Amino acid sequence: MGREIGVLWPEILRAMDAETTQLASQLGPATSVPWEDSPAREAEPRVADDETVQSAIFGQVSYGVVLSDLLRHLGVEPHAAIGYSLGESAALFALRAGRDQIGRAQG
């Protein structure tokens, strides 16, 4: 999800990469496709473990940030954001709200 954005607008991902040391792990293939690419995957659903769920959450939030950055790059500036649960977190990260608090929580 979102692979084409990085191909068509690489400057979006370059700018995000400059902001974090974890971009590759948050947007990597394991995040968006946490199983082997095989026809059998539909017949045998993979049981989600904590790491897979965490990767999916990071991937979804990162994708929201990528789309938000792309829209701003194209001249669309948000005046507000709404969301519920993970959507709230995605919006806060996408708008770069509370950077100091987020940095303190992680470090």
Side-chain angles (χ1 to χ4, degrees):
M1 190 163 69
R3 242 184 311 201
E4 293 82 11
I5 293 171
V7 172
L8 296 172
W9 293 281
E11 61 273 18
I12 300 298
L13 294 182
R14 282 189 201 112
M16 286 180 67
D17 191 39
E19 290 182 48
T20 180
T21 59
Q22 300 173 353
L23 185 64
S25 66
Q26 294 169 352
L27 290 179
T31 301
S32 55
V33 186
W35 52 79
E36 292 80 31
D37 190 20
S38 73
R41 76 172 186 214
E42 292 176 11
E44 300 175 28
R46 181 175 178 192
V47 176
D49 56 13
D50 289 344
E51 186 175 320
T52 303
V53 172
Q54 184 178 11
S55 292
I57 290 169
F58 286 146
Q60 184 174 352
V61 171
S62 297
Y63 180 66
V65 174
V66 169
L67 286 180
S68 175
D69 287 359
L70 173 61
L71 288 172
R72 278 201 227 112
H73 177 75
L74 297 173
V76 179
E77 287 293 329
H79 294 285
I82 58 171
Y84 179 73
S85 190
L86 184 58
E88 289 174 301
S89 300
L92 290 171
F93 278 99
L95 297 176
R96 308 308 198 276
R99 283 182 182 220
D100 291 339
Q101 290 76 14
I102 292 169
R104 274 190 234 122
Q106 293 176 351

